[in-house]
Amino acid sequence: MIKAMLARGMANKDIQFYFNRQDRPVNSGRITGIRKGVYGNSRSIPTASGADLDGFLAVFKSPDLSGVATPLGPKSPLDPSIIAAFFKRDTNGIHRLIDGESDTRECKLGFGEAMSFLALPTAVTWATLEKT
């Protein structure tokens, strides 16, 4: 396919889009090596037909990402993903604490956007208490 794409005049960076994966990078140098017939056995591999290339391009679907890039290092206790990990949605669509309420944690039904200014000091206090 790469040879057919090259024959069609596609740029290396455009060809890379179809073949790069996290576990299998195809860099521009490899594509140039295929173009010149010096990469591996690329000289002996036949070029796909224009029809085969058209078929490949027509059904190509970019793969789903296998993960989300996150910054390295510990996350803040206020990170939405950390806070969300403590909740689950029940069959009625209501968010509940996963391990239930206790004398140190509770979930308020009426705690909505209007009261969200209280979440920051509460979360900071919670994070501080958890560390001590």
Side-chain angles (χ1 to χ4, degrees):
M1 279 308 151
I2 291 175
K3 284 182 165 184
M5 291 173 167
L6 289 167
R8 193 167 281 182
M10 293 176 69
N12 286 13
K13 67 178 180 62
D14 297 328
I15 295 170
Q16 285 176 295
F17 170 78
Y18 293 97
F19 299 100
N20 272 341
R21 304 287 182 273
Q22 292 172 338
D23 63 335
R24 188 194 68 214
V26 178
N27 66 38
S28 185
R30 288 187 181 162
I31 295 170
T32 299
I34 292 169
R35 176 189 321 244
K36 294 178 178 179
V38 297
Y39 180 73
N41 64 345
S42 61
R43 186 179 303 260
S44 65
I45 297 172
T47 303
S49 70
D52 287 340
L53 178 57
D54 290 338
F56 172 80
L57 296 173
V59 298
F60 178 80
K61 180 182 175 205
S62 186
D64 294 331
L65 296 176
S66 62
V68 177
T70 58
L72 298 176
K75 289 184 178 181
S76 161
L78 302 178
D79 186 285
S81 66
I82 298 293
I83 295 170
F86 287 93
F87 296 90
K88 66 179 175 184
R89 190 180 298 228
D90 69 13
T91 55
N92 296 318
I94 298 172
H95 285 91
R96 306 262 185 214
L97 286 167
I98 288 175
D99 59 350
E101 294 187 3
S102 71
D103 60 341
T104 60
R105 293 184 296 242
E106 63 181 3
C107 191
K108 296 288 187 193
L109 178 63
F111 192 86
E113 294 278 332
M115 301 295 286
S116 63
F117 67 92
L118 294 173
L120 181 59
T122 303
V124 169
T125 303
W126 181 20
T128 305
L129 290 174
E130 291 290 318
K131 289 183 177 181
T132 58

